[in-house]
Each structure stands twice: as C-alpha cells, then as structure tokens.
Amino acid sequence: MTQPNLESLVPAYVREFEPYIPSRPDPELMKLYGCARLYRLNNNENPLGPPPGAQEVIRRFPPPQGAVYPSGDSYYLRQELGAVHGVDPGQILVGNGANEVIAFVIKAFCEQGDNIVTADKTFAVYEWVAVFSGIEARVIPLKDEGFDDAAMLAAIDPRTKILFVCNPNNPTGSYWTRERLRGFLAAVGGRRIVVVDEAYCEFVEQEDFPNGISLLGEYPNLVVFRTFSKMYGLAALRIGYLVGAPEVVDMIRRTCVVYSVNRIAQEAALAALKDDTGHIRRTRALVRTSRTFLRGELAKMGLPVIAGEGNYLIAKLPLSDTLAYRKLMREGIMIRPMTGFRCPNHIRITLAGQEAMEACVAALKKILP
Ligand SMILES: *Cc1c(COP(=O)(O)O)cnc(C)c1O
C-alpha cells in the first residue's frame, strides 16, 4: 500500500514555516555542555522570582483543586486588573502568556491577503504567528535602534490590519515617548489596530515613557499587551493579558480559547498585583545596578553595547553569536544569540544578580579571542 501524502493537507505557508526549536531542559544542557551550574541569562526572567504573596499562593494551592477547571475568563484577576488600570474588567482578556493573546488578535482581525506591520529586530512572535497563519508580515528595519514610525506608516496599505510596536523594544531597549506614540496613533488613524506590547513597561523609569492603557480612551483602535512573566516573575505559569476598547475586545474575545489560563496562574497573578512588599522597587534596583556594572565591564573589554530600558542589554562580539553561545554554555552561562532577531554576532544578556553578572563577565573574558 502506498503511504498517503499527508503533507498535501498542509497549507504551503505552514509547510514552508521553520519551526522554533525550544532549548532542552537545564539538566540536559548541563550534561551536554559539562557545566556544574547554569546561569539563565537568555529569557529575561526575574532572578528575585515572584513577589512573596504570589509565592505563598503557589505553595498553598490545595492539591484536590487540581481536578477543578479554573475560571474560564480569569474573573477575579480581571476585576483587580480593572481596578488597578482604571478600566472595565470587560476590556481585559487574559491568555496563556502574552504569546497567546498575540494569536487572539491576529486571528480576530486578519485573513489571507491581509498584512501586519512591525519591526525586523523585535519580539519575533508577532511575525511568526502572522506568517504561519498565512498573513504577510511587513518587517520594517529599526532606525537608530528603535521602531521607525515614518517607515511603518509608509508600509501601510489597504490590507494592513494590525501594527505591532514593542515599547520598550525587546531586544534593543529603545522606547517611544508619549509624544511619539501619540503622533503615531494620530497618523495611523482609527481604521487599523495598533498593538503596543508593554511586556517590560514595569522596568522603565523614564518620565516621558507612556502608559498605553491611559491612552485607550482617546484611541479606540489601540490594544495594549502586558505579561506577568517578566517583572512579576511568573513565566513558568504562563499568564499575560491585553487591554482595549470594549468594542475591540468584544471582537477579539471570539477567538479566545477558554480554560487556557490555569488557576494557580490566575491566583498567583492576583497576589502579585496586590504585593506591597516593594518587589518592583527591589527588582528595578537590581536591574539598574547590574546594567551599570555589566555595561562598564563590557566597555572595558572593548565590546559595543546597546543598553536601553528593560532587564537586558545587547553586546556585539568579535565572533559568531551561535559559536559564542556554545562556548559560554560550557562556562555555565546561557545567553540569547541574536541571529534569530536578525542581529548576527550580537548576544542579549538578561540583567540579573551580581553573582550571575560576574560569572558572565568572567566567561566572556575566557572565550573572547
Ligand atoms: C517575554 C515577552 C512576551 C511574552 O511573554 P509571555 O511569557 O508569553 O507572557 C511578549 N512580548 C515581549 C516583548 C516579550 O519579551
């Protein structure tokens, strides 16, 4: 019997898509590279972990409750988020990480023939979800390491449905000021969705950095993403959300998968929001100290550095980033090679604790030619 050709079932845009290969679990990597300890500086995780109240929720989760489905729309969490942000809880959709809400938005607005506009060197998931959904992604080169508003506007055509702006940008740390974001929203007009991904907004301490949620009243086509993975240290639990105008959120809600957000995540996120122990202040102080330290050390080593907002910076190396990754892994340092962000020879390093930063500097000194 001949094998049926199942590949013919698959749309060309899926067949042609390169799957993302996740890295192996830490113990496997440690065996592979022969290191006794591994500093994870590749995913912008918070080395302080979740706020104490969220840790308590995780510790005390009643095991029999594992049998019971969670709230399908993160009811209590949205109540609290609504109060914190001064919006109606109906304007919020919670997802299995901000990654999932990206897919909600693209599914809600795009069909084949449509396009999205974003940058070439930014969080890649906007582009990936579009492309494997058969939607064109127009990736506009950064200008001066930031999103190029004029070029993004010029890329808009009648089939452009969504513009994605990462503010501050991962990986360059650049940001649009309030004035610049307003100017962009005004120029786009109300006929397309503008997504502002604020995954790292809690790290930014600049006066002129805009809170996208506060602009929702003026711009009903604006959608803001937030996550609990970075500042709130809940990456393992997978929880993030979007906020938008009621009519826009009512549309996006149709493409949401109910029950994709588990109960421990919902309760831990709620406790993280209510934390009053200074977790954000402590994390910001740690990031600030590490940014100054690491930037200084890299400069002494003669490595060009791009360090803006966010809990990460980029260093340019005199060798390939993928080779540097393997060499640093042998020293117990896991960084993010930037070839996947279209920045070969660059690595992104998470700003973590002093011990990790010193280990990273020592490893870099060892591997540099
Ligand atoms: C980490 C990250 C996200 C996604 O976070 P989740 O873990 O899926 O909530 C979204 N956008 C940017 C820019 C990020 O760096």
Side-chain angles (χ1 to χ4, degrees):
M1 223 174 71
T2 56
Q3 280 294 104
N5 180 6
L6 295 179
E7 233 183 70
S8 65
L9 294 178
V10 183
Y13 55 81
V14 174
R15 241 181 292 138
E16 286 155 20
F17 189 81
E18 281 282 339
Y20 176 81
I21 314 287
S23 69
R24 292 190 216 177
D26 290 9
E28 303 301 316
L29 290 172
M30 287 160 78
K31 260 187 274 169
L32 188 64
Y33 289 99
C35 50
R37 114 144 269 194
L38 186 61
Y39 290 101
R40 297 176 54 87
L41 305 177
N42 62 325
N43 269 345
N44 302 340
E45 292 152 355
N46 188 337
L48 300 181
Q55 299 210 11
E56 195 59 17
V57 163
I58 296 167
R59 209 175 287 119
R60 297 200 172 204
F61 185 78
Q65 289 299 317
V68 180
Y69 277 98
S71 162
D73 60 359
S74 304
Y75 184 87
Y76 290 116
L77 175 59
R78 285 187 307 104
Q79 300 286 315
E80 181 67 17
L81 284 169
V84 167
H85 295 308
V87 299
D88 188 277
Q91 293 178 251
I92 300 165
L93 292 173
V94 184
N96 191 260
N99 267 296
E100 194 185 40
V101 305
I102 297 172
F104 293 163
V105 178
I106 290 180
K107 279 188 270 187
F109 293 103
C110 298
E111 59 188 319
Q112 266 193 61
D114 289 342
N115 64 72
I116 65 144
V117 175
T118 185
D120 62 342
K121 292 170 180 130
T122 186
F123 192 58
V125 181
Y126 326 126
E127 177 185 346
W128 291 344
V129 175
V131 172
F132 69 56
S133 308
I135 312 300
E136 181 197 351
R138 303 189 164 183
V139 294
I140 310 303
L142 295 185
K143 188 173 172 187
D144 305 326
E145 279 130 27
F147 273 67
D148 183 347
D149 35 14
M152 288 180 74
L153 291 168
I156 294 176
D157 76 1
R159 298 301 298 268
T160 302
K161 293 284 182 74
I162 313 172
L163 299 105
F164 285 92
V165 179
C166 187
N167 208 40
N169 190 32
N170 170 13
T172 56
S174 63
Y175 71 95
W176 278 1
T177 62
R178 192 174 298 110
E179 197 184 345
R180 193 154 174 199
L181 177 59
R182 272 180 189 281
F184 183 75
L185 287 161
V188 168
R191 296 172 50 81
R192 296 174 173 81
I193 298 296
V194 175
V195 170
V196 180
D197 183 348
E198 298 183 341
Y200 297 94
C201 66
E202 297 90 351
F203 293 94
V204 185
E205 298 181 77
Q206 308 290 344
E207 261 300 302
D208 57 357
F209 178 77
N211 171 358
I213 297 173
S214 74
L215 299 175
L216 288 172
E218 272 170 84
Y219 304 98
N221 59 325
L222 174 62
V223 173
V224 177
F225 290 173
R226 298 280 181 97
T227 179
F228 286 98
S229 296
K230 306 286 161 52
M231 176 57 85
Y232 293 105
L234 293 172
L237 300 186
R238 312 302 306 124
I239 183 162
Y241 59 98
L242 64 77
V243 194
E247 315 78 66
V248 168
V249 172
D250 285 344
M251 287 297 152
I252 303 172
R253 185 176 292 111
R254 295 159 205 237
T255 68
C256 285
V257 181
V258 272
Y259 300 131
S260 72
V261 184
N262 72 77
R263 177 164 158 193
I264 303 180
Q266 292 180 29
E267 292 183 4
L270 182 55
L273 282 178
K274 292 185 163 172
D275 175 77
D276 59 0
T277 66
H279 185 261
I280 293 184
R281 183 173 40 75
R282 281 195 303 280
T283 305
R284 283 177 175 172
L286 176 141
V287 168
R288 218 182 297 124
T289 305
S290 293
R291 187 186 293 115
T292 307
F293 171 78
L294 191 59
R295 190 199 269 150
E297 291 297 313
L298 294 172
K300 278 189 236 162
M301 294 160 71
L303 299 176
V305 174
I306 303 168
E309 304 305 314
N311 61 339
Y312 46 83
L313 59 71
I314 299 179
K316 180 163 194 247
L317 303 183
L319 69 159
S320 113
D321 52 326
T322 45
L323 177 61
Y325 172 84
R326 292 195 298 274
K327 290 188 169 202
L328 288 169
M329 282 300 285
R330 279 187 226 121
E331 307 300 321
I333 303 293
M334 180 155 45
I335 51 74
R336 174 61 56 110
M338 298 295 295
T339 292
F341 281 84
R342 301 187 173 95
C343 296
N345 300 321
H346 290 72
I347 60 172
R348 191 191 64 200
I349 307 170
T350 300
L351 299 168
Q354 187 61 22
E355 187 184 297
M357 295 295 92
E358 283 172 12
C360 177
V361 168
L364 276 168
K365 283 184 177 153
K366 200 162 161 191
I367 70 144
L368 283 182

